[in-house]
Amino acid sequence: MTGDGTRCVHAGHEPARDAEIGAPLHAGPVLSSTFHLGLPGDPTPADFYGRADNPTWRALESAVGELDGGECVLFGSGMAAVAAVLRLAARPGAAVVLPADGYYLARVLADEELAPLGVEVRAVPTAGGWPEGVLEGAALVLVETPSNPGLEVCDIAALAERAHAAGALLAVDNTTATPLGQRPLELGADLVVASDSKALAGHGDLVLGHVSSADPVLVGRLRAARARGGAVPGPMEVWLAHRGLGTLDLRLERQAANARALALALREHGCVTDVRWPGLADDPAHAVASRQMRRWNGVLRFTLASADAVAEFLAASRLIASATSFGGLRTTADRRERWGDAVAPGLVRLSAGCEDTADLVADVLAALDAVGR
Ligand SMILES: *Cc1c(COP(=O)(O)O)cnc(C)c1O
C-alpha cells in the first residue's frame, strides 16, 4: 500500500509513463465553459458545457475519490455539498437526523428549507449516547465526527449499522478529519460530505466541497442534482485545491504536531479550561477516535473566562490571526459564540497552522500571560 504522501502528490495526475513527450507536467485549469460539439449527428462529448462537467473537476474528483475510497462529486462549497446530501433524503413525512452540536448552517438549512416541506428534523448531540428509537423513521442520518467546534466524536461503524437497520442512509461530515484522517465509507457510511475550503485545499484562498460514495446510484443522483441545481465549483478553485491537496500529508503532519504541543501547553496554563483535542490520550473522545481515525489534525479547542479574555489573548499574540474557518497554513483562532454556536463565550476553536512548533507554543503562552494583566 502506498503511503499518504505519495498518494497526495500523485492522486488525480496522469502517471508519467503514460504521458506524451512534450505534454505539460503541470497542466493548467480548463476555464472554458463551452466546448466544440462537431456537426449534427456527432456524439455529445463528455465536455459540452461547464455546468455539466469539466476536465479539471474530473482530475480532482479522481484524486479525492481515491483517497475517500469511493466516487467523488465536487460542489461549489461545503454547504452546497451538505445541501445536496440533505435533499437526497428530503420527502414529506421522512425524518432527517442531524448533529445538535455540528456545523450550524446544516441545522439552519434543515430547519429553514426542509422542515417547511414536511421533513421532520431531529438534532442529536454527537457524543450524547444516541438513545433508542432516535433513528426510527429516518431517511438520512448526518453525523459530524470530530464535530465542529466541539471536537466530539461518535462511532461511525456502530451508527452505520443502526442507521441501516432503521432503513436510513448514513452520511458523515468528514471536514475536520480530511480523507487522510478518516475513511467513513470503509466504516460503513453511505456518503462522505466535506468542506474542502478547510484543510484539504489548505490555503484559505477558496471555497469548495464534495460528496463521495461507493454507491453508483447515489453518485448518479448527486451528479444530476449538481447539473440541475447548478451548485458547481469554478475550475480555477478546483485546480488550486488539487495543487493544495499535493501537500495535505505534509501540512497535516505539522498541524497535528503543533496541535498536540499547544494542547499540552494550554492545559498547564491557569487561565485555560476544557482543552479538547482527540489525539490526547486522556481526551474523552480519544478511545473511539483512535479506533476509527487514521491520523490526527490541527483543530483543537479551549475555553478562556470570557469574550474579553479572548480579545486580550488575540491582541497579545503575534502569530495567531482572528479568523473563522480552519485548516490553513496560518494559525487562526475563532471565538465560536459570535456565530451563534451554543458554547461558552470564551470558547476558542484554534486551527494550528504550519509555523514552527516552538515559535507557536512560545507565542501562545506569552499571549495567555497577557490575559487579565
Ligand atoms: C466549513 C464547514 C462546512 C461548510 O463548508 P463551506 O465550504 O464553508 O461551505 C460544513 N461542515 C463543516 C464541518 C465545516 O467545518
Side-chain angles (χ1 to χ4, degrees):
M1 187 64 188
T2 312
D4 283 355
T6 308
R7 297 194 310 147
C8 284
V9 168
H10 287 276
H13 297 294
E14 190 182 38
R17 63 171 184 276
D18 296 342
E20 275 174 41
I21 295 175
L25 202 60
H26 302 288
V30 175
L31 298 171
S32 189
S33 61
T34 47
F35 299 83
H36 291 289
L37 292 181
L39 301 173
D42 285 334
T44 305
D47 295 307
F48 56 93
Y49 184 53
R51 182 165 32 69
D53 212 341
N54 169 294
T56 308
W57 296 0
R58 285 197 295 279
L60 183 60
E61 285 179 340
S62 145
V64 175
E66 181 185 323
L67 296 175
D68 272 338
E71 205 178 320
C72 164
V73 184
L74 293 172
F75 283 88
S77 68
M79 275 315 299
V82 169
V85 164
L86 292 177
R87 287 192 189 112
L88 274 180
R91 51 180 178 272
V96 167
V97 180
L98 298 174
D101 50 352
Y103 192 66
Y104 67 112
L105 277 181
R107 284 192 305 283
V108 173
L109 187 127
D111 289 341
E112 297 290 323
E113 298 186 27
L114 302 188
L117 302 176
V119 177
E120 186 197 333
V121 180
R122 295 181 197 154
V124 178
T126 300
W130 294 85
E132 201 60 38
V134 73
L135 306 187
E136 219 155 280
L140 176 81
V141 181
L142 172 68
V143 300
E144 197 179 295
T145 179
S147 63
N148 169 18
L151 303 179
E152 302 289 359
V153 160
C154 56
D155 186 330
I156 295 172
L159 283 168
E161 230 167 83
R162 286 184 56 186
H164 294 157
L169 294 172
L170 180 71
V172 176
D173 187 325
N174 206 36
T175 302
T176 309
T178 83
L180 297 190
Q182 186 165 265
R183 289 162 64 92
L185 299 178
E186 278 177 4
L187 299 165
D190 302 284
L191 298 147
V192 176
V193 56
S195 167
D196 302 326
S197 323
K198 314 290 168 55
L200 191 139
H203 294 72
D205 52 7
L206 60 88
V207 174
L208 186 71
H210 81 270
V211 184
S212 290
S213 176
D215 179 340
V217 174
L218 291 176
V219 170
R221 288 177 64 193
L222 288 163
R223 284 196 197 287
R226 177 180 67 181
R228 276 196 306 267
V232 295
M236 191 68 201
E237 280 75 7
V238 172
W239 183 79
L240 281 169
H242 203 160
R243 187 164 83 163
L245 176 64
T247 54
L248 178 58
D249 171 64
L250 290 171
R251 288 183 283 107
L252 273 188
E253 189 166 306
R254 174 64 66 85
Q255 287 167 349
N258 283 346
R260 178 183 297 282
L262 286 173
L264 292 171
L266 285 163
R267 293 214 290 200
E268 300 305 317
H269 200 281
C271 70
V272 179
T273 57
D274 208 16
V275 178
R276 293 289 304 273
W277 186 63
L280 291 178
D282 57 0
D283 188 277
H286 184 76
V288 176
S290 53
R291 262 206 319 276
Q292 68 190 13
M293 292 182 72
R294 301 174 69 243
R295 55 193 289 181
W296 308 117
N297 58 69
V299 189
L300 64 140
R301 67 151 160 116
F302 60 93
T303 303
L304 300 181
S306 63
D308 285 346
V310 176
E312 288 167 17
F313 167 70
L314 290 171
S317 166
R318 289 178 311 112
L319 295 179
I320 301 175
S322 168
T324 194
S325 197
F326 55 88
L329 295 182
R330 292 175 63 171
T331 297
T332 58
D334 196 12
R335 196 180 69 78
R336 288 306 302 180
E337 194 212 35
R338 73 180 287 166
W339 306 111
D341 283 351
V343 296
L347 184 140
V348 175
R349 184 188 67 208
L350 191 129
S351 172
C354 293
E355 297 90 344
D356 289 296
T357 307
D359 291 342
L360 205 48
V361 170
D363 180 66
V364 164
L365 290 178
L368 286 172
D369 286 342
V371 173
R373 283 275 164 83

